[in-house]
Amino acid sequence: MDSVPLSTTRASTPPHRLELCGITKRFPGCLANDAVDLVLKPGEIHALLGENGAGKSTLVKIIYGVLHADAGTLLWQGQETTIPDPAGARRLGIGMVFQHFSLFDTLTVAENISLGLDNPGPMDALSQRIAEVSERYGLSLDPRRHVHHLSVGERQRVEIVRCLLQDPRLLIMDEPTSVLTPQEATRLFETLRVLAAEGCTILYISHKLEEIRALCDTATVLRGGRVVGSCDPRKETARSLAEMMIGTELSTPERLPHGVAGAPKLQVRHLSTTSDNPFATNLKDVSFEVRAGEILGIAGVAGNGQAELMAALSGEELLPEPAAVTIEGRPVGHLGPRERRQLGLAFVPEERLGRGAVPELSLSENALLSAYAREPLVRSGLVHFGRARSYAERIIGAFNVVTHGHRAEARSLSGGNLQKFIIGREILQRPRLLVVGQPTWGVDAGAAAAIHRALIALAQDGAAVLVISQDLDELFVLSNRIAVLFHGRLSDSRPTHQTSVEEIGLLMGGLFNHPPDEDEE
Amino acid sequence: MTLLRLEPRGEASRAMVYLTPLIAVALTLVSGFLLFWAMGFDPVKALHAFFIEPVSSVRGVGELAVKATPLVLCAIGLAIGFRANVWNIGAEGQLTLGAIVGGGIALAFYGEGGWWLLPLMIVGGMVGGALWAAIPAFLRIRFNASEILTSLMLNYVAMHLLNYLMHGPYRDPEGFAFPESRLFEADAVMPLLVAGTRVHLGSLFALLAVAGGWFLMARTFIGFQIKVIGLTPTAAGYAGFKQTRIIWLTLLLSGALAGLAGLGEVAGPIGQLNPTISPGYGYTAIIVAFLGRLHPVGILLAGFLMALSFIGGEAAQIALGLPKAITGVFQGMLLFFLLATDVLIRYRLRFGAKTAPKTIAGRAAA
């Protein structure tokens, strides 16, 4: 294995690209990095693995100069260095592609890139260089196009090219494939392999274990701010990696038996939307149904109409045609969230903090947020705080939410625990129909398994479950049927056991069996 | 080398939420001390004349309650709106309309009043204020027009409307063309609560508003919806709370309370309509609402403090011969220091330059 003690290698061999010794970073109330050692060699693709809150992003921000370590040393090419800020990191040759892009929609690719460079030079020469670099690494990109016309994958290429223009010796990628189709991810991996072959070191952060096994040479695993191990991911299984990450054995959810669907609970017929927002994706003639006892998965790259579909189903966006959405046969398109909840709908939005929960309010108040419609928590206009408290405590108990009690503010919970709380809040209302967006996005493996089990159990009890997710692995574990959303259109669904990741991936790229006519606006 | 640094706290300090208003008051007193000193007054005497003397008699304390009454009434309503991110800056205009409608009822039934006249005026005052606040509510919901601008501009419209009425329809026919109405008859005047003072029924309404405001925010589902909409509008949408309903409710409520405050002034200490019924109560109530941390009990205390600044300002004008602006100076300083010390809720002050935490380094090396 690769966990060679640091001191023995330093003297003789050529210097490492980057060496961290004893990096410690404390935030008020938490030790984010606890004496972390890390060695990155030239030309290697090194995975940084860990659950949410394990300290991955803190460590990476220290390397990129966004944060400063409280203690520890950083050696760049064998020299002890301090990195004062991101500009300093770029001068050393460290580039970083963030999970969330920082691009201006109304500017062109070249203009966006020039804004991110410390010395961009004239625009013509820059466009020339952009074309060259994107050619060399197979990142096809037109410097004159406006960013709002680009797909998410293309936007990521802009960020990558911006880094490559600075000739990085170390490239940090934070969850780069979370927004890509499997085919786009494969192309990205090819680019990264070319870069590594040229001697550039790549630090790759992801929680997608299969990906790490396919791409990386070395993996360092963080847990609770400490390095708990390193390994060659090609010699491990996804399961053993996950267990290293969470520190205990992983229990996989039992899959649903196929073909036990009952009466339709949710029917969507010819649903089309129009929005004033120029950056919204309008739904075009979407039809599907979810039956009692089954889980329908809707795959698709972000921004293909998921947000619009969620809003149309939850009632946050009212529909002109009531019959476009029916719950147990009743048209509900004109009803708001409260009325739809009373008819048996429960709903877990993609954004946990800020939509699914109010960050500043306590867990009992957050329990009230959606449960008021189906649980006896409000009596003649007055809030029954005692009942809201015991409802919150029931959720915390039943879903193992790690918190110091129902008084804790929602924002004090980790992502995984908050998601368990929100899903618990919806499931304990015993809904007949549950719609979930990105159930385990950014959630640690342990919590994700618990959430998957809860969703499957709910379906087994006879509820209909709709999961909208970008995570294909998740959809293949959970769903009985999978459909794909692309440019606001929904493909026909296919039974999960009769399809493959490749087929769904092609659909996610827009290759429906019927031609995508009049798609351009 | 910086001598003072701000360091983020892990979470908001509950103690500081309550302490910062007191710190702001203390800083205002210190600044007032320096200001009086720089102007050549004996600062101790001047502060005494400003803050102590006005309230060292029963009558003085009564005056304090009289001034605090409209401030608290307006601020309770404003604070409920502010909690829902509804920024009503138009309490001054709504107060004026309350006086115009309620006072108009008194004038309309002049000479033929009965026991029913005062209750009718009270309802009229509240309806007048609420209708004036309904304009920004409608514009916000229908056209998405900022209620900050529309409610503020309506203050000036209300002022001119009052001026017009005082020079025209409302003018006392026997008043030698002075822009004043008749003095209200006995049936149209708020009964006094404490003998020897001008404390009137309106103060009781203000206390009821404090209790009602607390109950609404702490116990009712509407109060919960107001909180959620103010903190996270998207979560309110997810929960199915109707924002338009809350905008209507908070604006009408704050308008009605401001209208009640205006009616209380004309039917209380003033006893008639004239062009200067309010020395800016509706604006000062915004300070009161924030100084009181948007909490009804805090608002009650803050109302008394700001009332003191009005009375002290008047006393300072008489005793020290200072210009009228002294009231505004003290109110401004108070708001300034309050906003400035708010930073202490999320940050703590550190003296001296930043030092590396060696203790952790020692642990890391181990």
Side-chain angles (χ1 to χ4, degrees):
Chain A
M1 297 239 185
D2 281 323
S3 57
V4 187
L6 303 171
S7 47
T8 56
T9 55
R10 196 177 292 164
S12 52
T13 52
H16 298 305
R17 182 61 39 80
L18 177 76
E19 188 172 340
L20 303 179
C21 307
I23 291 291
T24 298
K25 177 73 187 175
R26 184 185 290 280
F27 292 115
C30 105
L31 191 58
N33 282 163
D34 185 4
V36 171
D37 297 332
L38 181 70
V39 172
L40 302 180
K41 294 180 202 147
E44 77 173 349
I45 305 182
H46 193 122
L48 196 55
L49 259 176
E51 297 193 287
N52 266 50
K56 294 175 308 223
S57 27
T58 303
L59 188 66
V60 162
K61 281 178 183 163
I62 288 170
I63 297 174
Y64 196 56
V66 180
L67 293 172
H68 301 117
D70 294 330
T73 50
L74 187 152
L75 281 81
W76 176 253
Q77 320 260 39
Q79 300 278 311
E80 188 167 337
T81 313
T82 52
I83 299 176
D85 50 34
R90 286 194 292 269
R91 275 194 299 277
L92 287 177
I94 302 174
M96 176 153 176
V97 177
F98 287 91
Q99 195 177 352
H100 301 285
F101 308 146
S102 43
L103 298 174
F104 294 96
D105 280 341
T106 49
L107 298 182
T108 64
V109 169
E111 285 164 344
N112 263 294
I113 288 178
S114 96
L115 282 173
L117 295 181
D118 296 320
N119 47 347
M123 196 58 76
D124 286 348
L126 181 66
S127 297
Q128 186 65 33
R129 279 173 62 211
I130 293 169
E132 281 167 21
V133 168
S134 46
E135 175 87 16
R136 194 160 107 217
Y137 295 101
L139 297 158
S140 71
L141 203 58
D142 180 349
R144 289 160 309 186
R145 283 188 76 192
H146 283 90
V147 165
H148 63 91
H149 288 309
L150 302 184
S151 74
V152 184
E154 289 171 312
R155 287 173 200 221
Q156 186 181 53
R157 278 181 222 152
V158 179
E159 295 272 2
I160 296 173
V161 167
R162 171 145 79 189
C163 286
L164 295 186
L165 282 175
Q166 329 212 15
D167 262 328
R169 307 316 300 146
L170 168 63
L171 184 61
I172 305 170
M173 310 277 306
D174 189 4
E175 305 257 358
T177 57
S178 58
V179 292
L180 303 183
T181 65
Q183 283 79 8
E184 283 177 316
T186 311
R187 282 183 68 184
L188 172 69
F189 293 167
E190 281 161 18
T191 303
L192 293 181
R193 287 197 190 97
V194 172
L195 269 169
E198 290 176 0
C200 179
T201 304
I202 289 157
L203 184 59
Y204 189 89
I205 301 166
S206 177
H207 66 276
K208 293 190 181 169
L209 304 167
E210 288 299 345
E211 225 174 74
I212 285 174
R213 281 172 17 91
L215 180 71
C216 302
D217 315 311
T218 315
T220 296
V221 184
L222 288 180
R223 192 193 318 142
R226 293 165 172 273
V227 175
V228 292
S230 62
C231 60
D232 181 344
R234 290 164 299 193
K235 293 178 188 148
E236 303 284 331
T237 64
R239 192 187 178 87
S240 65
L241 286 174
E243 286 174 358
M244 213 184 289
M245 232 160 77
I246 61 174
T248 56
E249 234 174 78
L250 192 67
S251 58
T252 31
E254 227 173 282
R255 289 189 57 157
L256 279 175
H258 298 294
V260 288
K265 294 274 177 185
L266 172 72
Q267 286 173 301
V268 174
R269 289 195 208 97
H270 308 299
L271 170 63
S272 298
T273 59
T274 49
S275 171
D276 307 334
N277 179 354
F279 298 111
T281 306
N282 289 326
L283 298 174
K284 296 177 194 107
D285 197 24
V286 169
S287 297
F288 64 91
E289 63 178 27
V290 196
R291 293 169 170 273
E294 74 163 352
I295 299 181
L296 172 67
I298 292 189
V301 175
N304 273 294
Q306 285 94 338
E308 292 75 11
L309 180 59
M310 295 283 276
L313 293 178
S314 73
E316 284 162 85
E317 196 70 53
L318 297 182
L319 305 169
E321 177 54 58
V325 178
T326 58
I327 295 176
E328 296 190 315
R330 284 186 58 167
V332 297
H334 58 301
L335 299 178
R338 180 179 197 149
E339 291 81 6
R340 293 193 201 188
R341 281 178 200 284
Q342 281 159 350
L343 288 174
L345 170 76
F347 194 82
V348 178
E350 183 180 335
E351 310 115 283
R352 278 148 223 163
L353 221 49
R355 191 182 291 270
V358 181
E360 295 88 350
L361 293 185
S362 70
L363 291 183
S364 27
E365 287 171 301
N366 272 301
L368 182 61
L369 186 68
S370 78
Y372 74 94
R374 287 178 68 77
E375 297 289 314
L377 305 179
V378 177
R379 203 178 38 191
S380 52
L382 301 185
V383 177
H384 202 306
F385 282 103
R387 286 193 193 151
R389 196 173 310 136
S390 54
Y391 187 62
E393 273 161 358
R394 255 176 70 207
I395 301 168
I396 292 168
F399 284 81
N400 287 320
V401 179
V402 181
T403 170
H404 53 266
H406 65 85
R407 277 199 195 83
E409 290 181 359
R411 63 176 160 200
S412 72
L413 266 62
S414 72
N417 276 307
L418 183 62
Q419 184 70 344
K420 282 198 281 188
F421 181 82
I422 293 174
I423 290 200
R425 177 183 72 193
E426 302 302 306
I427 286 181
L428 287 186
Q429 296 174 35
R430 278 167 283 115
R432 291 190 288 270
L433 167 63
L434 178 69
V435 177
V436 193
Q438 301 284 9
T440 59
W441 184 80
V443 164
D444 55 79
I451 288 167
H452 287 165
R453 278 197 302 275
L455 293 177
I456 288 172
L458 184 71
Q460 278 167 342
D461 281 352
V465 179
L466 175 66
V467 177
I468 301 175
S469 175
Q470 295 175 49
D471 186 342
L472 283 188
D473 298 343
E474 168 170 273
L475 290 178
F476 272 84
V477 168
L478 282 179
S479 325
N480 304 83
R481 291 182 293 131
I482 298 184
V484 174
L485 199 57
F486 177 75
H487 283 196
R489 291 172 185 282
L490 190 73
S491 74
D492 297 333
S493 70
R494 34 212 86 201
T496 308
H497 60 281
Q498 288 173 16
T499 186
S500 62
V501 173
E502 287 68 34
E503 188 188 8
I504 297 297
L506 289 174
L507 291 175
M508 284 165 74
L511 292 173
F512 287 10
N513 37 17
H514 51 80
D517 51 329
E518 92 266 0
D519 227 25
E520 307 302 321
E521 55 265 54
Chain B
M1 284 269 162
T2 43
L3 289 175
L4 272 177
R5 276 183 312 112
L6 286 171
E7 189 182 273
R9 295 176 193 271
E11 50 190 73
S13 158
R14 280 218 147 268
M16 273 299 163
V17 170
Y18 299 105
L19 268 178
T20 50
L22 299 180
I23 296 174
V25 170
L27 287 172
T28 306
L29 289 179
V30 171
S31 310
F33 185 93
L34 295 174
L35 184 72
F36 284 132
W37 180 65
M39 289 168 73
F41 294 102
D42 177 347
V44 176
K45 255 196 194 147
L47 286 176
H48 188 268
F50 199 106
F51 288 107
I52 311 288
E53 227 162 72
V55 288
S56 41
S57 66
V58 175
R59 207 192 128 67
V61 175
E63 282 306 290
L64 195 65
V66 169
K67 296 273 183 207
T69 295
L71 291 176
V72 171
L73 276 171
C74 291
I76 292 284
L78 293 183
I80 291 169
F82 293 166
R83 284 286 194 92
N85 280 343
V86 174
W87 303 103
N88 179 8
I89 310 296
E92 183 76 4
Q94 292 140 23
L95 178 147
T96 306
L97 259 286
I100 288 174
V101 175
I105 292 171
L107 297 177
F109 293 100
Y110 186 76
E112 38 196 289
W115 62 268
W116 47 268
L117 184 55
L118 188 62
L120 186 66
M121 288 165 64
I122 290 170
V123 172
M126 292 177 79
V127 169
L131 285 180
W132 205 244
I135 301 171
F138 172 77
L139 294 174
R140 161 85 188 266
I141 287 160
R142 182 74 180 74
F143 301 107
N144 202 20
S146 163
E147 73 280 7
I148 300 179
L149 297 177
T150 52
S151 66
L152 176 66
M153 291 191 288
L154 281 169
N155 287 346
Y156 302 100
V157 179
M159 191 179 83
H160 289 295
L161 181 63
L162 178 67
N163 262 324
Y164 159 73
L165 291 170
M166 294 326 301
H167 287 91
Y170 277 15
R171 192 169 57 191
D172 182 356
E174 292 133 38
F176 308 103
F178 276 104
E180 287 177 348
S181 77
R182 294 174 191 273
L183 284 174
F184 292 175
E185 55 184 327
D187 283 334
V189 172
M190 292 271 192
L192 294 182
L193 295 182
V194 184
T197 66
R198 299 199 293 163
V199 180
H200 57 88
L201 188 61
S203 304
L204 193 63
F205 288 138
L207 286 177
L208 285 177
V210 169
W214 174 82
F215 187 77
L216 178 77
M217 292 309 294
R219 284 283 170 266
T220 69
F221 192 51
I222 295 277
F224 178 71
Q225 297 182 32
I226 288 174
K227 259 199 288 192
V228 171
I229 285 179
L231 290 168
T232 320
T234 42
Y238 160 74
F241 302 158
K242 297 203 173 68
Q243 197 164 3
T244 50
R245 242 182 76 189
I246 297 297
I247 293 174
W248 275 116
L249 182 90
T250 52
L251 273 168
L252 293 183
L253 183 69
S254 57
L257 286 174
L260 179 60
L263 185 270
E265 286 306 288
V266 294
I270 304 177
Q272 66 179 145
L273 277 158
N274 67 35
T276 52
I277 50 176
S278 159
Y281 288 133
Y283 295 110
T284 311
I286 300 169
I287 309 181
V288 171
F290 280 105
L291 192 62
R293 291 267 166 244
L294 306 184
H295 187 285
V297 177
I299 286 170
L300 183 64
L301 299 176
F304 275 105
L305 187 67
M306 292 312 281
L308 184 58
S309 77
F310 276 114
I311 299 178
E314 283 167 17
Q317 287 172 50
I318 297 163
L320 308 171
L322 287 171
K324 200 176 154 196
I326 191 71
T327 307
V329 168
F330 269 87
Q331 292 181 352
M333 284 199 293
L334 195 55
L335 185 63
F336 171 80
F337 283 123
L338 182 75
L339 294 176
T341 50
D342 262 6
V343 77
L344 294 175
I345 295 173
R346 296 211 158 269
Y347 293 85
R348 62 167 62 90
L349 270 185
R350 285 275 187 234
F351 296 93
K354 189 166 184 169
T355 50
K358 296 289 181 212
T359 47
I360 304 173
R363 210 181 132 201

